[in-house]
Amino acid sequence: MNPSKKPINQNSLQSLELWLTDLGAVKNVNNPSKWYLQLSNWNATIVFEQEDLSVTWGSGGKETKRLFSYCINREDVENAILQGP
């Protein structure tokens, strides 16, 4: 099965880290479950929490936060992350 079609919880940690790196995200050195993605108009903080994947977008001083179930496929989460706030 294509890794992007697999639910997040069925990907290895190495695969998820490679995926986020390929998106341009950078891992927090003090908290390996937290990643930062900086784009020209906005930024996102991606956190692997215990129950869900948390994404907080920041733009123009405003923040928007969404939680994604680990049962959602990687492609759908990637599309949501890249769509921005």
Side-chain angles (χ1 to χ4, degrees):
M1 176 185 274
N2 181 342
S4 68
K5 300 290 185 187
K6 289 168 69 175
I8 292 172
N9 63 2
Q10 292 182 14
N11 285 267
S12 69
L13 178 59
Q14 181 180 8
S15 171
L16 292 172
E17 289 185 341
L18 180 60
W19 165 57
L20 289 173
T21 300
D22 287 347
L23 287 180
V26 177
K27 187 184 336 184
N28 179 314
V29 294
N30 297 317
N31 182 351
S33 66
K34 185 181 282 190
W35 291 73
Y36 302 106
L37 178 62
Q38 180 70 47
L39 296 173
S40 60
N41 298 350
W42 52 267
N43 61 69
T45 301
I46 303 158
V47 181
F48 290 94
E49 297 186 7
Q50 186 153 355
E51 299 292 327
D52 300 293
L53 182 72
S54 161
V55 181
T56 306
W57 295 271
S59 177
K62 296 181 182 178
E63 285 193 348
T64 304
K65 182 177 181 176
R66 299 279 184 266
L67 298 175
F68 297 94
S69 167
Y70 287 126
C71 296
I72 296 175
N73 73 48
R74 210 173 74 184
E75 181 178 45
D76 289 344
V77 173
E78 178 176 330
N79 290 334
I81 291 170
L82 295 178
Q83 189 171 11

